[in-house]
Amino acid sequence: MACFHDHSCEDHDCSSDWSLYKHIDLPRVSALNEATPGSVKTVFKAWEHRLNSSGDHLESNEGDPELIVFIPFTSDVKIKSIAIIGGPDGTSPSKMRAFINREGIDFSDAQSMQAVQEWDLAENLQGVLEYQTRYSKFQSVANITLHFPDNYGGDTSQIHYIGLKGEATQLKRDVVATIVYEITPNPSDHKTRAEGGAGFSHVE
């Protein structure tokens, strides 16, 4: 389901709504069939910069409009809706399929697997449309894979912006916190600077 972005951002902080880009593990983002390696990383940006492509965008190889974008997060997230800004002249994607918490999906997998949700996309050059998720299925998302199987007739597919609206949890995926309680400390394991007059203890 597509919704119009129908309120003024002067009266509402849209940037905070679309802030999940801050929780994307950008070095691990990847795309299949991108013409320029690494270009997928340019499509994640603040909402207010969504129309400022500066020539940077994700584009598929000539004659093959299909794209897959893998988006991992640094913490689990909940995704409420997705915004896609495609390219002109028939290069905008016409369909989007989402897979959650599945790594290493290729085109063969995407075509044979059941997506969590699918959307028919409109040409959204001005960034005024957003596509709502089935929110109950988009909880505790560690990564999301977006499959764009076709476009509006162009020789290539272009994506200038991918926006994700939702919220992040406090669970960080890049750090595993392990708390160890030392019930009976062994004094020989510790060197203290208090003995040297420093006034505090330091465990080395």
Side-chain angles (χ1 to χ4, degrees):
M1 177 180 179
C3 295
F4 279 100
H5 188 79
D6 57 1
H7 61 259
S8 170
C9 290
E10 294 180 358
D11 301 324
H12 180 81
D13 185 6
C14 297
S15 184
S16 64
D17 288 343
W18 295 90
S19 63
L20 283 186
Y21 75 95
K22 297 178 181 178
H23 300 278
I24 293 174
D25 190 354
L26 200 59
R28 295 179 56 223
V29 169
S30 61
L32 297 182
N33 197 37
E34 62 178 346
T36 303
S39 59
V40 64
K41 295 177 173 63
T42 67
V43 305
F44 301 101
K45 62 193 82 172
W47 170 262
E48 59 268 25
H49 300 312
R50 69 193 185 284
L51 300 179
N52 301 334
S53 64
S54 302
D56 295 326
H57 59 268
L58 170 63
E59 186 167 11
S60 69
N61 285 297
E62 187 77 22
D64 186 357
E66 197 170 8
L67 285 166
I68 286 179
V69 178
F70 173 69
I71 309 166
F73 299 96
T74 57
S75 63
D76 283 357
V77 301
K78 303 175 182 180
I79 302 175
K80 297 179 180 179
S81 57
I82 302 172
I84 303 293
I85 299 178
D89 303 322
T91 62
S92 289
S94 59
K95 191 177 185 67
M96 176 172 66
R97 307 171 71 234
F99 305 89
I100 292 173
N101 297 340
R102 297 289 298 269
E103 297 192 25
I105 293 176
D106 59 20
F107 290 111
S108 177
D109 296 328
Q111 291 165 4
S112 62
M113 291 169 55
Q114 179 70 39
V116 175
Q117 190 170 348
E118 301 185 6
W119 299 263
D120 291 323
L121 303 181
E123 293 182 280
N124 181 34
L125 303 184
Q126 299 304 313
V128 296
L129 293 176
E130 60 185 75
Y131 298 89
Q132 294 181 336
T133 67
R134 299 189 186 104
Y135 191 48
S136 63
K137 295 183 178 294
F138 286 76
Q139 308 286 307
S140 300
V141 179
N143 61 70
I144 184 171
T145 299
L146 300 178
H147 176 216
F148 303 93
D150 209 350
N151 64 11
Y152 279 91
D155 290 336
T156 65
S157 289
Q158 291 184 15
I159 297 176
H160 293 252
Y161 172 78
I162 296 178
L164 301 167
K165 178 191 284 188
E167 58 184 283
T169 69
Q170 297 301 311
L171 176 61
K172 297 291 185 181
R173 304 205 66 82
D174 55 349
V175 176
V176 177
T178 303
I179 301 175
V180 179
Y181 293 96
E182 188 175 11
I183 300 174
T184 309
N186 185 349
S188 65
D189 291 339
H190 305 283
K191 297 178 182 178
T192 66
R193 296 187 182 179
E195 296 173 357
F200 64 92
S201 296
H202 177 74
V203 178
E204 297 181 339

